[in-house]
């Protein structure tokens, strides 16, 4: 097929939010190259402007009917647009958390370009309808992620996190490319729509291996078993604002693309639903058990993030079987993203304070910050009326509806377990004798925490507009 | 109007947190004044309540219509007495002196928050709204015990939170099950009670019933799900124990009636007998273990397990669908009166235990003796509350327990017979406690023992007055509750 100029132009318009992100990132690279050190911090403003412009474009597109663009390789549907919106919000918050954190870093200008590129990778993931597009998005998101994790060059823990992240990621991505090649060989195409027909009579064993390998790459981005190990490492070692971003943005894109990918599979040949269910069960349970006795708050957040991935996979288990699947997916992503930004934001605002013991009695001198931490933790547990509750309610409703009641029961057991380790931080913070105030980072980080916390509460309390917008969504082509 | 009762305390709780520290002294008077608002609302609601009809004074606003979630509150013969009793207990427990640890604003904010939440649980007519309040009650109580408790408060608070969270998450599963059975996907409790959408038999109904049952059994608590209760009660500050026993435990029994019995009566019938057996086990176990306690507060805590057993026994008899309707109606009325009576009586007993701790710095019964001579008011109030608790005729506990057992005898005579032993044991243990603490010789270390102060008397008199009033002229309460029992059992 020889694309003509008109179709190219239309395609370029259809992916405008992504193009804006790419353009902004390139602009920042040049800005950082040519501007003197004291002005580097304004790269953050440029990044914010870029994100705002991309957000505006998303807003415009939301009113339009869903469609497939870029020659069948990219979905412009509500799910992609809302996932993009979530990623953009997360990125804005990351920028706000980073301004003061990287203030003394001579290379801070380029950092924002890397952040934008990483966000772009996540956005492209959320719309991927083609295996090659999936690979490119995954690579873009991953390569930038390694850079962000290791941005503190002189910090041993940052470098360690980056290397571990890179090694696991390199393996996962390599395996994924191999899987893509297998699926391409089986179906004769890489676009999802043609995979669906092409895989119909495929050899089941080759299909299992091919899809398994692709899923391995997606699981890495998601932080799902068996490629989850980077999450606690990155949470603990990467620069805290970068860690906040890395734990969230990629997961948003990956969860959406996984939902699209499984729908392609012929369910009669490959019973993927029980497999994803088992993966979800193992991921949430392992994440929770590993978090139980953590004394490092950032590592604890990393493990809790793994368990959250497990909850998110419930939406994928139910996709195509329950009309609650898509709303639950988006509610989960929004609530998890904001909750994680809030929790990490508090850590950032406390200048990376990560020893559990150091939080003892901090509710006295820092009532608002610890209050924010409490809100985000309680949201993770699923206490109403916070966002995490709305998400879990819908997720469990979706899997019960899809015939997986045992997963809902397991979710509940895990939620109760998770309360234990969250309370190990919150309990001493509130019940210990009032401690001396800790130095805090600054206003921008504080503002980011406030926005994220308000968002967590709002998703649960003012859920109607979201439920209305998301209730009617479906994946494009379904 | 009912909305006011929920949101005024809630708004005041937030406002109290924002109060400047130098105005710390305003916290208590403000909180007490604010708590009079829901109390007044309940009095008005009682006056306007029409005997014989179903849900009344309903207020409803769409909340998340896309998911069938509504903000809906209202009262009926079950929720009105419980909400009114809760409003009274909250005002009283805020009047009662407590060790505030220099955090008066936060303490009273927590109480007002918990008041809003507790009233919300009883008034909600939407399952999600109900669950929101239900779960927040755990959060509020967790902080109350953890921050203002004594002993190993942090551990007890966590144990309480974890246990009851497991229960409430099970409840959430049950609620989801009911929701997914409704034809047009709604959480509206009135609608669900009217249509009973869950099929009477089959695996789904069993699972939903058991999930709900686990949630309520933990909260009530029924043996063997009660193990969180003694440490939580013992380490909580006395006014918080009062709220925990008086109000929060009622949420469990309320749930058994409102959700299990009203929403799935046919499934309830299948499980009525096992539930009754559990109730009798709770009655006997609670009484026997209370008998073995040397700590005053633990003793009261275990009598709560025993009394909640009476309530569940009455509910089980009411839902059994065998035996005469009048007997089942009687049992349900008795169970509901017992909820109110236990709230008042045990609330008073816990407040008294707080006064004893403040003076003697121990709960050990053996450390006391002859206190009646030093503190006639304390002794008098304690004896009144204890006699009410053991079911002395003329007091509230008797009215409740008489109806429960009279009703249950017509349905499950054996269970009623065995359960009656509980009353005998409770009588023995309370009499022994009174004898050890207040009679006999006064140990020399209590020579300087003070009698109750003014605030304590002001708080205890209204509760105990109601205990006597319900015992002597129960008609005004029974009539309201009968509205429910008749609708439900149909006699």
């Amino acid at each position: 097929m020889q694309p003509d100029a008109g179709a190219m132009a239309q395609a370029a318009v259809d992916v405008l939010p992504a193009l804006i992100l790419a353009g902004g990132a390139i602009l920042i690279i040049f800005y950082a190259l040519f501007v003197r050190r004291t002005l580097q911090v304004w790269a953050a403003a440029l990044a914010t402007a870029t994100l705002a412009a991309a957000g505006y474009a998303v807003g415009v597109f939301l009113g339009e009917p869903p469609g497939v663009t870029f020659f069948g390789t990219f979905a412009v549907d509500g799910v992609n647009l809302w996932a993009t919106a979530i990623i953009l919000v997360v990125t804005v918050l990351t920028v706000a958390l980073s301004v003061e954190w990287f203030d003394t870093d001579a290379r801070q200008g380029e950092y924002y370009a890397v952040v934008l590129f990483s966000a772009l990778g996540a956005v492209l993931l959320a719309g991927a309808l083609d295996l090659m597009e999936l690979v490119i998005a995954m690579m873009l998101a991953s390569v930038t992620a390694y850079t962000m994790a290791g941005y503190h060059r002189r910090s041993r823990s940052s470098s360690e996190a980056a290397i571990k992240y890179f090694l696991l990621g390199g393996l996962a991505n390599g395996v994924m490319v191999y899987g893509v090649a297998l699926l391409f060989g089986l179906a004769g195409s890489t676009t999802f729509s043609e995979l669906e027909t092409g895989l119909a009579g495929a050899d089941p064993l080759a299909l299992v291996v091919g899809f398994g390998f692709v899923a391995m790459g997606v699981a890495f981005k998601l932080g799902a078993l068996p490629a989850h190990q980077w999450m606690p490492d990155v949470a603990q070692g990467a620069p805290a604002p970068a860690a906040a971003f890395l734990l969230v943005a990629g997961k948003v894109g990956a969860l959406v693309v996984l939902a699209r990918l499984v729908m392609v599979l012929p369910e009669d040949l490959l019973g993927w639903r029980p497999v994803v269910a088992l993966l979800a069960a193992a991921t949430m349970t392992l994440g929770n058990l590993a978090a139980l006795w953590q004394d490092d708050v950032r590592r604890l957040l990393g493990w809790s993030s793994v368990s959250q991935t497990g909850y998110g996979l419930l939406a994928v288990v139910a996709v195509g079987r329950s009309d609650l699947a898509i709303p639950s997916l988006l509610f989960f992503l929004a609530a998890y993203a904001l909750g994680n930004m809030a929790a990490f934001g508090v850590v950032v605002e406390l200048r990376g304070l990560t020893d559990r013991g150091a939080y003892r009695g901090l509710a006295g001198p820092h009532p608002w910050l610890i209050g924010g931490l409490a809100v985000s933790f309680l949201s993770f547990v699923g206490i109403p009326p916070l966002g995490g509750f709305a998400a879990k309610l819908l997720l469990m409703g979706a899997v019960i509806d899809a015939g997986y009641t045992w997963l809902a029961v397991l979710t509940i057991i895990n939620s109760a377990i998770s309360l234990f380790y969250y309370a190990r931080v919150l309990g001493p913070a509130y019940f210990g004798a009032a401690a001396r105030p800790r130095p805090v980072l600054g206003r921008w980080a504080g503002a980011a925490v406030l926005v994220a916390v308000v968002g967590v509460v709002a998703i649960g309390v003012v859920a109607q507009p979201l439920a209305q917008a998301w209730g009617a969504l479906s994946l494009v082509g379904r | 109007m009912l909305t006011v009762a929920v949101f005024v305390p809630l708004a005041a709780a937030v406002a109290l947190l924002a109060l400047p520290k130098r105005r710390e002294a305003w916290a208590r008077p403000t909180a007490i004044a604010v708590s009079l608002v829901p109390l007044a609302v309940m009095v008005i609601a009682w006056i306007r309540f029409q005997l014989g009809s179903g849900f009344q004074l309903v207020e409803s606003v769409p909340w998340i219509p896309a998911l069938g979630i509504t903000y809906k509150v209202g009262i009926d013969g079950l929720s009105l007495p419980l909400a009114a009793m809760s409003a009274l207990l909250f005002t009283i427990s805020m009047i009662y002196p407590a060790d505030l640890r220099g955090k008066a604003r936060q303490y009273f904010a927590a109480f007002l928050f918990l008041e809003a939440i507790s009233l919300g649980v009883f008034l909600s007519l939407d399952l999600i709204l109900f669950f929101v309040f239900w779960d927040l009650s755990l959060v509020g109580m967790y902080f109350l015990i953890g921050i203002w408790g004594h002993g190993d408060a942090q551990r007890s608070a966590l144990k309480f939170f974890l246990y009851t969270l497991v229960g409430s998450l099970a409840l959430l599963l049950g609620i989801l099950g009911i929701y997914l059975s409704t034809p047009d996907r709604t959480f509206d409790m009135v609608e669900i009670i009217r249509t009973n959408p869950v099929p009477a038999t089959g695996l789904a109904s069993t699972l939903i019933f058991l999930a709900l049952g686990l949630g309520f059994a933990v909260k009530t608590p029924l043996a063997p799900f009660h193990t969180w209760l003694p440490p939580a009660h013992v380490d909580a500050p006395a006014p918080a124990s009062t709220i925990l026993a008086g109000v929060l435990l009622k949420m469990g029994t309320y749930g058994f009636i409102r959700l299990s019995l009203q929403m799935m009566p046919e499934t309830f019938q299948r499980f009525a007998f096992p539930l009754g057996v559990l109730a009798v086990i709770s009655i006997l176990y609670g009484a026997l273990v209370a008998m073995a306690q040397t700590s005053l507060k633990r003793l009261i805590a275990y009598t709560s397990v025993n009394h909640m057993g009476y309530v569940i026994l009455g509910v089980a008899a009411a839902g059994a669908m065998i035996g005469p309707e009048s007997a089942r109606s009687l049992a349900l009325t008795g169970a509901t009166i017992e909820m109110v009576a236990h709230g008042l009586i045990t609330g008073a007993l816990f407040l008294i235990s707080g006064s004893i701790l403040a003076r003697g710095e121990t709960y050990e019964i053996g450390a006391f003796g002859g206190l009646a001579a030093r503190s006639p008011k304390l002794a008098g109030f304690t004896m009144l509350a204890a006699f009410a608790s053991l079911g002395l005729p003329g007091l509230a506990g008797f009215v409740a327990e008489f109806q429960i057992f009279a009703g249950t005898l017509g349905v499950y005579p054996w269970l009623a017979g065995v359960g009656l032993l509980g009353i005998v044991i409770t009588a023995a243990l309370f009499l022994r406690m009174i004898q050890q603490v207040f009679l006999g010789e006064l140990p020399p270390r209590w020579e300087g023992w003070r009698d109750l102060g003014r605030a304590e008397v002001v708080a205890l008199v209204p509760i105990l007055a109601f205990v006597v009033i319900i015992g002597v002229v129960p008609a005004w309460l029974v009539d309201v509750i009968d509205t429910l029992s008749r609708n439900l059992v149909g006699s």
Side-chain angles (χ1 to χ4, degrees), chain A residues 323-324 331 360 374 378 381-385 389 392-394 396-397 400-401 405 408-409 412 415-417 419-420 423 426-428 430-432 460-464 467-468, chain B residues 17 63-67 69 103 128 131-133 135-136 138-139 142-147 153-154 157-158 161-162 165-166 169-170 172-173 175-177 179-180 185 187 207:
Chain A
D323 50 2
L324 291 174
F331 261 104
R360 174 171 285 279
L378 292 179
V381 175
I383 301 289
F389 167 70
K392 266 193 192 147
L393 178 72
L394 289 172
M396 293 197 298
I400 294 176
D401 207 16
T405 307
V409 174
I412 275 178
S415 301
I417 295 174
L419 173 68
F420 177 76
L426 286 184
Y430 275 98
F431 308 154
V461 176
V462 209
Q464 167 59 13
Q468 181 129 45
Chain B
L17 284 182
W63 182 15
I64 313 177
L67 299 171
I69 301 172
K103 293 179 187 163
I128 289 296
F131 186 77
V132 168
F133 288 129
D135 234 15
L136 285 178
L138 313 186
V139 181
Y142 170 68
F143 284 111
L144 261 182
I145 299 177
I147 300 179
Q154 200 171 321
L158 182 60
F161 200 173
L162 273 178
L165 183 77
V166 171
L169 287 168
L172 179 62
L173 270 190
I175 288 178
L176 267 174
Y179 171 69
L180 293 172
R185 293 272 169 99
F187 286 104
L207 288 178

Side-chain angles (χ1 to χ4, degrees), chain B residues 84-416:
Chain B
M85 182 267 290
S86 305
L88 177 69
L89 275 188
F90 270 102
T91 305
I92 299 293
S93 51
M94 282 186 244
I95 293 175
Y96 218 75
D99 177 10
L100 303 180
R101 314 262 164 98
K103 293 179 187 163
R105 293 167 303 154
Q106 292 92 328
Y107 177 84
F108 288 106
F111 260 91
L112 286 175
F113 173 79
L114 210 51
E115 168 155 30
I117 295 313
S118 307
L119 293 177
V121 168
F122 295 128
L123 300 179
S124 295
L125 291 182
D126 178 277
L127 284 174
I128 289 296
L129 190 66
F130 170 79
F131 186 77
V132 168
F133 288 129
W134 173 285
D135 234 15
L136 285 178
S137 72
L138 313 186
V139 181
M141 192 44 86
Y142 170 68
F143 284 111
L144 261 182
I145 299 177
I147 300 179
W148 291 280
H150 36 71
D152 200 355
Q154 200 171 321
R155 192 186 154 85
S156 305
L158 182 60
K159 192 172 181 186
F160 161 78
F161 200 173
L162 273 178
Y163 268 63
T164 47
L165 183 77
V166 171
S168 79
L169 287 168
L171 166 64
L172 179 62
L173 270 190
I175 288 178
L176 267 174
I178 296 178
Y179 171 69
L180 293 172
S181 332
T182 54
D184 44 1
R185 293 272 169 99
T186 178
F187 286 104
D188 187 334
M189 290 163 72
V190 181
E191 184 68 17
I192 294 169
I193 288 172
R194 197 172 55 80
T195 53
N196 290 337
V198 183
T201 51
L203 184 64
S205 69
T206 304
L207 288 178
I208 293 173
F209 186 86
L210 290 180
L212 294 179
L214 177 63
F216 299 138
V218 171
K219 189 97 168 182
T220 301
L222 268 182
F225 304 106
H226 66 281
T227 48
W228 60 268
L229 180 127
H233 267 313
V234 171
D235 292 342
S241 299
T242 297
I243 296 304
L244 184 56
V247 180
L248 265 64
L249 301 193
K250 304 303 169 300
M251 295 177 185
T253 46
Y254 171 80
F256 267 117
I257 299 179
R258 180 67 92 221
L259 274 78
S260 306
L261 180 55
Q262 283 194 295
M263 292 185 187
M264 28 201 331
E266 282 147 326
T267 318
F268 192 100
Q269 183 198 348
R270 282 196 279 140
F271 289 93
F273 186 73
L275 192 64
V277 172
L278 268 188
V280 170
I281 292 174
S282 278
I283 291 172
L284 294 181
Y285 178 83
L288 286 172
V289 178
M291 184 106 173
Q293 297 306 316
T294 57
S295 150
L296 179 63
K297 212 172 180 189
R298 267 188 114 79
L299 178 147
I300 304 171
Y302 275 107
T303 62
S304 280
V305 177
N306 158 275
H307 280 86
M308 290 293 104
Y310 298 142
V311 178
I312 298 301
L313 182 61
V315 177
M321 300 282 174
I322 50 174
E325 277 178 356
S326 60
R328 284 161 36 216
S329 174
L330 196 62
L332 188 60
T333 305
T336 312
I337 299 175
E338 177 77 333
M339 287 193 232
V340 177
H342 172 262
L344 297 172
I345 297 167
T346 308
L349 282 172
F350 273 124
L351 289 180
I352 289 168
S353 78
S355 297
I356 291 180
L357 180 73
R359 287 164 175 74
E361 289 175 356
T362 177
Y363 288 130
E364 284 305 311
I365 296 174
F368 300 105
L371 291 182
R374 292 278 152 192
S375 50
K377 279 185 260 178
L378 177 68
F381 286 140
T382 312
M383 285 181 202
L384 183 59
F387 285 141
S389 186
L390 61 82
L392 194 74
L395 298 171
F398 174 76
V399 179
E401 282 150 35
F402 177 78
Q403 299 204 31
I404 291 174
F405 282 107
T408 310
L409 268 174
V411 182
Y412 297 130
W414 279 100
L415 286 184

Side-chain angles (χ1 to χ4, degrees), chain A residues 3-102:
Chain A
D4 63 284
M8 280 300 275
Q10 182 56 45
V13 173
D14 287 341
V15 295
L16 198 58
L19 280 186
I20 294 174
L21 283 179
I26 294 167
L27 195 67
I28 291 175
I29 291 181
F30 281 104
Y31 178 85
L33 262 182
F34 294 111
V35 166
R36 66 169 193 273
R37 256 181 79 170
T38 50
L39 293 177
Q40 291 280 329
V41 68
W42 287 95
L46 269 178
T48 310
T50 307
L51 291 163
Y56 180 75
V58 168
V60 172
F61 283 10
L62 270 177
E64 292 178 10
V68 174
T69 186
F70 244 91
F71 320 104
T73 62
F74 195 76
V76 189
D77 56 1
V79 180
N80 172 36
L81 289 172
W82 279 106
T84 306
I86 295 170
I87 294 166
L88 293 178
V89 170
V90 165
T91 317
V92 170
L93 293 173
T94 308
V95 170
L97 288 179
S98 304
V99 175
E100 289 133 343
W101 184 278
F102 287 99

